[in-house]
């Protein structure tokens, strides 16, 4: 069955992209354009993706430095001009 008639994307294709790691409608859109024209299929894509199946993302600071406790740069990040 077609999910996105604008680009001819089927349920099976959406499921394949989800199995390959696409967790959001935006990621599905990046993979196959579904949801990028009229937007009528976005709710159906959300339903196919379900909820809670992808790992929750952490802010970039925390991924880059697990010991980071805030988004503020360290005091020595901007040395004073001489």
């Amino acid at each position: 069955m077609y999910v996105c008639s604008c680009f001819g994307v089927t349920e099976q294709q959406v499921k394949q992209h989800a199995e390959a790691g696409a967790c959001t409608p935006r990621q599905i859109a990046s993979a196959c354009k579904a949801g990028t024209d009229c937007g009528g299929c976005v709710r159906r894509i959300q339903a196919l993706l379900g909820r809670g199946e992808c790992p929750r993302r952490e802010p970039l600071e925390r991924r880059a430095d697990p010991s980071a406790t805030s988004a503020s740069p360290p005091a020595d990040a901007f040395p004073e001009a001489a």
Side-chain angles (χ1 to χ4, degrees), residues 12-72:
Q12 185 62 32
Q13 288 172 303
V14 170
K15 290 177 184 178
Q16 287 172 345
H17 290 301
E19 288 172 7
C23 298
T24 65
R26 183 171 287 177
Q27 291 172 337
I28 295 293
S30 293
C32 63
K33 295 187 181 180
T36 61
D37 194 26
C38 77
C41 59
V42 174
R43 288 185 186 255
R44 180 70 181 135
I45 292 168
Q46 288 172 326
L48 288 170
L49 293 174
R51 292 187 177 263
E53 295 182 19
C54 287
R56 187 177 178 124
R57 295 188 200 129
E58 292 187 32
L60 288 175
E61 312 82 57
R62 295 194 187 271
R63 279 190 269 157
D65 181 7
S67 64
T69 57
S70 70
S72 303

